[in-house]
Amino acid sequence: MTNAEGMTKSKSVIPGVLTGNPVSFVFFISLFLFAAYASMSCATDAVIIQKASVDRFFRTPLSNPSGVFLDRQTGELYITDAGLREVLIFDRHLTPAFSFGGKAGVLDPIDIVVKDNRIYLAQGAKDHIEVFSYKGEPIARLKPPDGIAFEPGRLAIDASGRLYAVNKRMRNCVVFDREDKFLFTIGEDLKSISGVAVSTDRVYIIAPFNERSIMVYGLDGKFLYGFEAIRDYGGTLGLPSTASVDGKGRLWLADAIVGIVIFDKNGKELTRTDRYDNIKIRLKFPVDIELDSEDRAFVADKAGKTVGVFVLEQQ
């Protein structure tokens, strides 16, 4: 086609777009916007990738890793192994450094946290939390005041040094201040409780058999809301155990059946491990999870007898 100046005009490859047809033009714009949105969505998709794993302490294989903790100041990794009846400590390069066990009173370790050069250990069938020096020497016992039945489970600490302990006996969470003085309890009237995680402004209690499996509270202990549930209650979770919060406020949930599930601060699911086939080593029965300052997730896999190291990568 030639115009008045003798120049050739190309025909449109989208019929109607350059011929003034409004319906075709709107369709073309809609198609373009949808493609752009889909492209942006794919660009922001992220998957959980396994980078490494710890399966032994020197030459001794892990037996039943039950708990894991990352000291963000030193980079040291602490693993409780209920099978070995030991606390295993690795340096920031995941090189075995030190351990202590039966002689120090470690019999049935569940979980562990570290603050102010003191090691806090929850053990099965105990009415207190054992406190050890950094050398593994027992130095104290921590529990709530008389009159509060207590059996410690999962532990967590926040940036202020508060200690949060799951109370398996009363199905709530006991909170101690930085000096280990009892403050209050969180999560009354729960049907179950398996774990606790803390962010800069929220406390997450994992309650598998409640109508909502993830219960959210303020740092003052006031209930805010709950979200997600196990499949028996219409949700997508299997058997959630505990969780940890990364530097961006995302909640990483360890689910013994599903694997790892990540939620944003508003409770919207971002991704999970069982949707992808690019994980080198499948999680078999994850029971604990902890994040370091670089948002690497360390996951204690009870059945796999390993502690896996995972990251969230953009695709």
Side-chain angles (χ1 to χ4, degrees):
M1 181 176 180
T2 306
N3 61 15
E5 288 78 18
M7 306 222 13
T8 301
K9 188 175 184 180
S10 300
K11 291 183 179 181
S12 171
V13 295
I14 306 293
V17 171
L18 296 181
T19 60
N21 187 331
V23 174
S24 297
F25 180 74
V26 170
F27 171 78
F28 172 74
I29 293 298
S30 299
L31 185 64
F32 174 79
L33 292 175
F34 175 79
Y37 174 78
S39 176
M40 287 188 296
S41 297
C42 292
T44 57
D45 283 347
V47 295
I48 302 167
I49 306 293
Q50 184 163 0
K51 289 293 188 179
S53 65
V54 177
D55 63 359
R56 63 190 59 244
F57 187 81
F58 291 111
R59 294 184 179 181
T60 304
L62 300 187
S63 174
N64 182 3
S66 55
V68 61
F69 178 79
L70 258 297
D71 188 328
R72 297 191 180 187
Q73 293 183 339
T74 65
E76 291 176 327
L77 170 67
Y78 291 75
I79 298 174
T80 57
D81 193 307
L84 299 177
R85 297 183 176 184
E86 285 190 314
V87 172
L88 312 174
I89 305 169
F90 299 76
D91 67 18
R92 63 173 61 251
H93 304 295
L94 301 184
T95 302
F98 177 68
S99 68
F100 62 94
K103 292 183 179 179
V106 180
L107 298 176
D108 185 18
I110 297 173
D111 203 8
I112 188 170
V113 296
V114 179
K115 65 171 184 171
D116 300 329
N117 290 323
R118 290 175 295 176
I119 300 169
Y120 295 74
L121 181 68
Q123 300 203 74
K126 297 282 188 178
D127 66 352
H128 58 272
I129 297 169
E130 304 273 3
V131 185
F132 297 85
S133 71
Y134 72 96
K135 295 181 179 180
E137 303 162 335
I139 56 176
R141 292 181 174 184
L142 179 63
K143 64 179 186 178
D146 293 341
I148 299 179
F150 184 58
E151 183 181 345
R154 295 285 166 201
L155 306 175
I157 55 174
D158 67 15
S160 71
R162 279 185 177 182
L163 173 65
Y164 299 77
V166 164
N167 185 354
K168 296 162 66 177
R169 183 68 60 85
M170 301 301 294
R171 295 193 298 274
N172 60 17
C173 178
V174 178
V175 185
F176 301 90
D177 70 11
R178 188 178 187 87
E179 286 71 41
D180 294 344
K181 290 181 170 51
F182 170 78
L183 291 177
F184 49 81
T185 61
I186 300 176
E188 309 303 327
D189 302 321
L190 295 174
K191 294 180 181 178
S192 64
I193 181 171
S194 62
V196 60
V198 191
S199 70
T200 55
D201 60 351
R202 296 179 182 180
V203 179
Y204 297 88
I205 288 182
I206 312 305
F209 304 112
N210 276 43
E211 284 74 15
R212 292 290 178 265
S213 294
I214 304 174
M215 309 292 280
V216 187
Y217 300 80
L219 295 182
D220 58 0
K222 292 182 180 180
F223 176 72
L224 299 177
Y225 61 93
F227 66 95
E228 254 296 2
I230 61 173
R231 291 160 184 162
D232 289 348
Y233 287 99
T236 64
L237 302 179
L239 186 61
S241 175
T242 192
S244 187
V245 181
D246 69 16
K248 297 180 180 179
R250 297 173 298 204
L251 184 74
W252 292 59
L253 178 73
D255 187 306
I257 296 175
V258 171
I260 304 170
V261 187
I262 304 177
F263 302 91
D264 68 15
K265 190 172 182 179
N266 298 315
K268 177 184 177 182
E269 182 177 326
L270 299 176
T271 188
R272 61 172 63 195
T273 52
D274 69 348
R275 289 182 178 175
Y276 304 99
D277 296 319
N278 57 359
I279 297 176
K280 295 179 181 178
I281 302 175
R282 280 285 180 184
L283 287 165
K284 295 181 179 180
F285 201 85
V287 294
D288 197 14
I289 186 168
E290 183 75 15
L291 287 129
D292 67 5
S293 58
E294 299 176 0
D295 289 344
R296 295 183 302 170
F298 292 73
V299 181
D301 188 345
K302 182 176 180 178
K305 299 183 179 182
T306 64
V307 171
V309 185
F310 298 84
V311 297
L312 188 63
E313 289 191 353
Q314 298 296 326
Q315 297 295 294

